[in-house]
Amino acid sequence: SLVVVGRSPMARTLAELARAVGWQATLVAGEDFTAADADGRSMVVVATQGHGDEEAVAQAVAAKPAYLGLVGSRKRGAAVLGYLAERGVPRDDLDRVRVPAGLDLGPTSHQEIAVAIMAELVQVRASGQVPTTVAAPVAAPAPPTAVDPVCGMTVDAGPGSYPVEHDGVTYYFCRPG
């Protein structure tokens, strides 16, 4: 999926191009974008045009997307990434941000910039750099349970539930009494 952050005509054009080639594309205003809007399978393009670039890139970096690009000049990108580095964002994370996003065409129309970004995104996807699945966190297995033979309450079958062994069977209780 592609998440385009910004309200510019280029951002809208990029989202439309992505949909035209069958991708899921979401357009999110810069001030509304959070790390929860992307994941390890997402491609994120920050196109906020200097209006909240730093916050949008910081949120995108936290999401750890498969691709993260910032629309802007190299000079603007260096300023944004330098600002974030000074505020403690790890350099390894910032090194993943592509500036400028897409093929560097220099000054051109917003439509051509969108095409240049889409071309790079297609190349990244085709090269296998975007995982098709993200491993779900593995939940710890639930502890075994037992029923307290006195009160009928379900308790953890462990040392904290006052175990007593009788005739080869271990019984667990909710309290010592």
Side-chain angles (χ1 to χ4, degrees):
S1 68
L2 173 62
V3 179
V4 184
V5 183
R7 297 180 192 205
S8 69
M10 193 290 303
R12 288 192 297 276
T13 301
L14 179 58
E16 290 168 9
L17 280 172
R19 289 184 198 111
V21 296
W23 290 21
Q24 176 186 343
T26 306
L27 189 60
V28 182
E31 63 272 12
D32 297 333
F33 177 70
T34 69
D37 293 320
D39 63 26
R41 293 178 298 160
S42 302
M43 296 180 157
V44 177
V45 175
V46 176
T48 49
Q49 294 187 309
H51 302 285
D53 290 348
E54 295 82 0
E55 180 60 27
V57 171
Q59 289 294 318
V61 164
K64 301 207 181 289
Y67 171 95
L68 173 53
L70 173 62
V71 177
S73 67
R74 283 185 168 60
K75 183 177 178 181
R76 175 67 185 146
V80 169
L81 300 179
Y83 173 88
L84 294 172
E86 289 172 6
R87 274 141 191 87
V89 176
R91 179 49 68 184
D92 289 350
D93 290 341
L94 295 175
D95 288 344
R96 296 182 60 236
V97 181
R98 297 189 193 198
V99 181
L103 306 176
D104 189 1
L105 302 178
T108 187
S109 72
H110 79 267
Q111 294 94 339
E112 291 171 333
I113 292 170
V115 169
I117 293 169
M118 195 65 212
E120 182 178 59
L121 296 176
V122 168
Q123 183 182 46
V124 167
R125 184 186 57 93
S127 71
Q129 294 177 41
V130 179
T132 56
T133 61
V134 174
V138 177
T145 59
V147 175
D148 181 318
V150 175
C151 71
M153 181 175 153
T154 300
V155 298
D156 288 340
S161 296
Y162 312 101
V164 173
E165 189 171 324
H166 179 69
D167 288 336
V169 176
T170 303
Y171 297 93
Y172 298 90
F173 298 90
C174 66
R175 57 191 174 126

